[in-house]
Amino acid sequence: MITYTSTDHFVLLPGLLLALFGCAVLLLDFLFPKDVKGRGWLVGIALSGVGFASWQSWQQYLYLKAHSMTPLVAFNGALVLDGFALFFNGIVLASAALVMLISYRYLEDEKEHHTEYYALVLFAACGAFFLNGGLDMVTIFVGLELMAVSFYILVGFLRTDKRSNEAAMKYLLLGGFSTGFLIYGFSIFYGLTGSTNLAALATVIPARGANDPLLYLAIVTTLVGLLFKIGAAPFHMWAPDTYEGAPTTVTAFLAVASKTASFALLLRVMLVGLGTAREMWEPLLTGAAVLTLTIGNLAAISQSNVKRLLAYSSIGHAGYVLLGLIAGNQTGLIGVSIYLLTYAFSTIGAFLVLIALRRRGVAVETIEDLASLGKRYPYYALLMLLFLMSLAGLPPTAGFIGKYYIFLSLVESGKYGLAIVGALYVAVSLYYYFRLVRSMFLTESIEAQVLAPSNGVRLVLALTGIATIAMGILPEPFLRMAAISLGR
Amino acid sequence: MSGDTFFFYAFSALALLGGLGTVLLRNAVHCALALMTSLLGVAGLYLLQGAEFLFAVQIVLYIGGIMVLFLFVIMLVNLDQASKLQQFGRQTPIALVVALAAVAAIFSMLSKSAVLLPASVSLTPLTGGNTETVANVLFTDYLLPFELVSILLLVAVVGSVMMAGKRTE
């Protein structure tokens, strides 16, 4: 007997809307003419899908708030609606909307404008929702694959571009391999509990006792899969190649939505499922975090390609977020949420400047291409400076708040060593971010004509710029949003 | 060694050897046949677990349907060039060492664990047929992931059509 209650419907609806609008975009493709205007309508439909999903998520928030943030469990415990899922769904929705706004002109310029792109963005966002809210390992796995497969295709979207193909191939092969590890870990968890639910896992672990080899094996293999998804060392090798080869709009979406949802999943598995086995996974994650910070920040120094540099810096950021999870107190979790929120806007902004600066026929690729940007296009240069300052974590920008909370949590929990390591790498990151700044403001360059950016790009640049400044100067409302993720 | 244990190791060996053959053999048709052997081994494991439905589906769909398509594609595509390419990179010895070390680590962890499965977990005897039970579980406990898989398959279809589609300049 199939049961589908009103609670199930209410919890599922935003994700369902995304999937339905994705199907609508695919189906209505035939109705609209294959020209710029016809595609514009389909982008409108895709964006309205995100709009409806956001509206429904807002309804969910109001409901939770009226019921003192009590989590709402649906589908026999497969999916949960709580502040945590809502917060991360919000980041995914925002990044999907921003990416769709900037993709229109970009794909037009690349001569690969197909409406499937928007459907895939919607499907990827839909998959991310099940990572944010999934409690059942089967649901989580299918959601993860839905997101990953959409991204494999999006990364290879520039079909005539060799590097895009190479990036997609590498991402697909390594992604499939890491998924194998994840599902192996999940299968051992299932063997231990006889249930695919994360909550059931939490009840079994205390009985198994600390340092049980089988549990340890399951934790290690699960972590391999999850660390791959968040792009943390030593499973980061795909990130630079994939970020560089993918269409820049997809790079921004991958760096934000995929990473955020995977972090949500990591947090959920570690804190809900394995919360009582903390002494088993904390050393592993600490090692991974330090390694991630080291590799991400040191490798970024020697990069000459801007997208590669941002890819390595994004690896470094994953290390900081892991530190928040390792600190393990309330401040640390607020730090993780606020860090991912600020990182989302700054990262999309930084990639967006690269898209806006696209020249006739060639994209901005190397640091030299940014030379004397301050003279040529002062507004873009200033915005880039703002986003880079935020990524480096300098006040008064958004990134400062995120880093502040991460370090505060480390100090509060007495992990001074990690705090010092983290602070040292902030200094290193200043060096490579300011290599870009130096190139923009202090070097002379060749004259090059930039294509006029579309209104969508202008709008998103303004939005991300304002958000980056606003979070830095007035962090209060954003901290309150992050507190929602803790169910407050 | 009981019959079950013997067949478990036999089918596992079949699956593993088939997998190795798929990767190591040079001729594409041989690779496809090795893959078929591997899938057959997995089907045997399903049968040992009492999952007759999965066993039948594995044979009919994978070995019967998908593998025949594989062989058709291999016949239609000219693979002479591919078989002349160098098959493995220089990192093969390192990869081999790492893989063997991982296997040793997993093996030692599994053998050190005194109780593999908790006593409370046991195979419950099925009421009704195997197929019926699978259907019941799919449409009740796992309704959400089951429906979600349909979107996943849609994405996979869209992706393969996109990638194989005509390159329009």
Side-chain angles (χ1 to χ4, degrees), chain A residues 1-3 12 19 23 26 75-76 78-79 114 116 120 123 130 136 138-139 142-143 145-146 149-150 153 156-157 159-160 184 191-194 196 208 212-214 216-217, chain B residues 105-106 108-110 112-118 120-121 136 139-146 148-149 151-152 154-156 158-169:
Chain A
M1 183 66 200
I2 296 176
T3 50
L12 181 67
C23 295
L26 287 177
F75 292 102
N76 302 320
L79 198 63
H114 307 283
E116 286 89 345
L120 288 170
F123 288 136
F130 294 95
D136 178 272
V138 180
T139 309
V142 179
E145 281 303 277
L146 177 57
V149 172
S150 310
I153 305 162
F157 212 80
R159 291 174 305 169
T160 47
Y184 186 63
L192 290 175
T193 57
T196 50
R208 296 288 297 186
D212 177 42
L214 198 56
Y216 198 66
L217 177 62
Chain B
I106 290 175
S108 78
M109 280 189 203
L110 284 178
K112 255 192 282 176
S113 195
V115 190
L116 284 184
L117 284 180
S120 59
V121 181
N136 264 333
F139 284 100
T140 53
D141 292 355
Y142 296 105
L143 178 66
L144 179 63
F146 179 72
L148 205 53
V149 164
I151 305 175
L152 175 60
L154 175 70
V155 169
V158 169
S160 42
V161 171
M162 276 269 333
M163 289 297 154
K166 207 164 58 181
R167 260 58 166 175
T168 43
E169 285 302 314

Side-chain angles (χ1 to χ4, degrees), chain A residues 333-356:
Chain A
L333 295 181
I334 287 197
V336 168
S337 302
I338 196 86
Y339 198 107
L340 286 169
L341 184 69
T342 58
Y343 163 83
F345 283 101
S346 319
T347 307
I348 290 187
F351 280 115
L352 193 54
V353 175
L354 299 185
I355 294 169

Side-chain angles (χ1 to χ4, degrees), chain A residues 205-230:
Chain A
I205 287 170
R208 296 288 297 186
N211 298 323
D212 177 42
L214 198 56
L215 191 58
Y216 198 66
L217 177 62
I219 290 176
V220 170
T221 44
T222 308
L223 270 184
V224 170
L226 291 176
L227 288 178
F228 174 88
K229 288 287 168 207
I230 60 169

Side-chain angles (χ1 to χ4, degrees), chain A residues 9 35 122 132 150 248 281 329 369 408 475:
Chain A
H9 184 68
D35 58 12
L122 287 175
N132 297 340
S150 310
T248 313
W281 53 258
N329 47 16
D369 290 340
L408 185 66

Side-chain angles (χ1 to χ4, degrees), chain B residues 2-139:
Chain B
S2 70
D4 263 11
T5 322
F6 170 75
F7 278 112
F8 172 78
Y9 282 115
F11 284 130
S12 304
L14 200 64
L16 285 177
L17 289 176
L20 275 179
T22 313
V23 182
L24 295 175
L25 292 174
R26 288 197 82 91
N27 188 319
V29 179
H30 296 172
C31 290
L33 290 174
L35 182 59
M36 213 182 269
T37 324
S38 174
L39 294 172
L40 205 63
V42 176
L45 290 177
Y46 286 146
L47 194 60
L48 280 181
Q49 295 291 308
E52 292 97 1
F53 175 71
L54 276 182
F55 167 73
V57 166
Q58 176 89 356
I59 298 276
V60 173
L61 263 176
Y62 278 92
I63 300 171
I66 294 174
M67 286 315 297
V68 171
L69 282 179
F70 259 41
L71 288 174
F72 262 119
V73 172
I74 290 169
M75 262 166 50
L76 294 175
V77 177
N78 185 13
L79 286 168
D80 284 349
Q81 283 226 295
S83 61
K84 285 189 193 99
L85 290 175
Q86 195 195 348
Q87 208 171 2
F88 296 105
R90 272 173 302 171
Q91 74 270 42
T92 312
I94 307 167
L96 202 64
V97 170
V98 172
L100 286 177
V103 167
I106 290 175
F107 190 77
S108 78
M109 280 189 203
L110 284 178
S111 58
K112 255 192 282 176
S113 195
V115 190
L116 284 184
L117 284 180
S120 59
V121 181
S122 59
L123 290 173
T124 44
L126 303 174
T127 51
N130 185 270
T131 312
E132 198 184 322
T133 317
V134 170
N136 264 333
V137 171
L138 271 188
F139 284 100

